[in-house]
Amino acid sequence: MDRKNLATAVALARKVVAPRAYNPILGCVKLAGDGKVLTVTATDLHTWLIATLPADWRGEAIVNAKSLAAAVAGKGDIDLAVADGALRANGHALPCGNIADWPAEPARASTSATTVQADVLRAALAAVLPAASSDDTRAHMHGICWD
């Protein structure tokens, strides 16, 4: 599996997870692989991130986001395996949470997909991100409206 793609997905997931959550599972990410696609899911129960990347890995694991980010840092490919209640990632053994404890994803309305050129998206985000608050007491101002 390509380490760079996984590291990018985990870095995005870390922006969603709650670092000091009242429920420890909310400080974790869920990895689910079907042999072709790896899905990295993170939530703080208000925001959900679901990232997919090509990977020949099969399995499910819930691991601490910060620990996973440290384990996937570096260069080259990475091998993942779940054994004895731990996710093994190139020499790192990360304890796995209970899959049954992962919160259920909310039902989604019908979805549609669109393609945006990277430079256009980058310019649009650069225009609006300065107005988004990073103050935790202003959660209503943290987001960007995609319309």
Side-chain angles (χ1 to χ4, degrees):
M1 173 181 329
D2 184 271
R3 184 187 301 259
K4 183 178 178 184
N5 288 343
L6 181 56
T8 300
V10 172
L12 288 171
R14 283 194 65 198
K15 294 178 185 239
V16 174
V17 300
R20 291 178 203 89
Y22 62 91
N23 184 344
I25 203 83
L26 297 178
C28 296
V29 296
K30 179 181 176 185
L31 303 176
D34 65 4
K36 294 181 182 179
V37 174
L38 173 66
T39 304
V40 179
T41 307
T43 185
D44 63 1
L45 296 181
H46 298 288
T47 304
W48 287 77
L49 174 119
I50 302 170
T52 58
L53 53 139
D56 62 353
W57 183 70
R58 285 186 184 277
E60 276 190 318
I62 295 177
V63 293
N64 180 274
K66 185 176 181 181
S67 299
L68 181 59
V72 300
K75 296 181 181 178
D77 286 346
I78 188 164
D79 295 319
L80 299 179
V82 177
D84 301 326
L87 176 73
R88 306 213 183 275
N90 286 10
H92 297 271
L94 309 174
C96 289
N98 187 345
I99 295 288
D101 291 339
W102 188 256
E105 292 180 34
R108 292 185 240 169
S110 63
T111 59
S112 61
T114 188
T115 302
V116 178
Q117 295 294 324
D119 57 335
V120 173
L121 179 60
R122 199 173 293 115
L125 289 174
V128 297
L129 278 176
S133 174
S134 60
D135 182 353
D136 288 338
T137 63
R138 297 176 179 216
H140 60 288
M141 297 175 72
H142 274 237
I144 297 170
C145 178
W146 296 91
D147 196 11

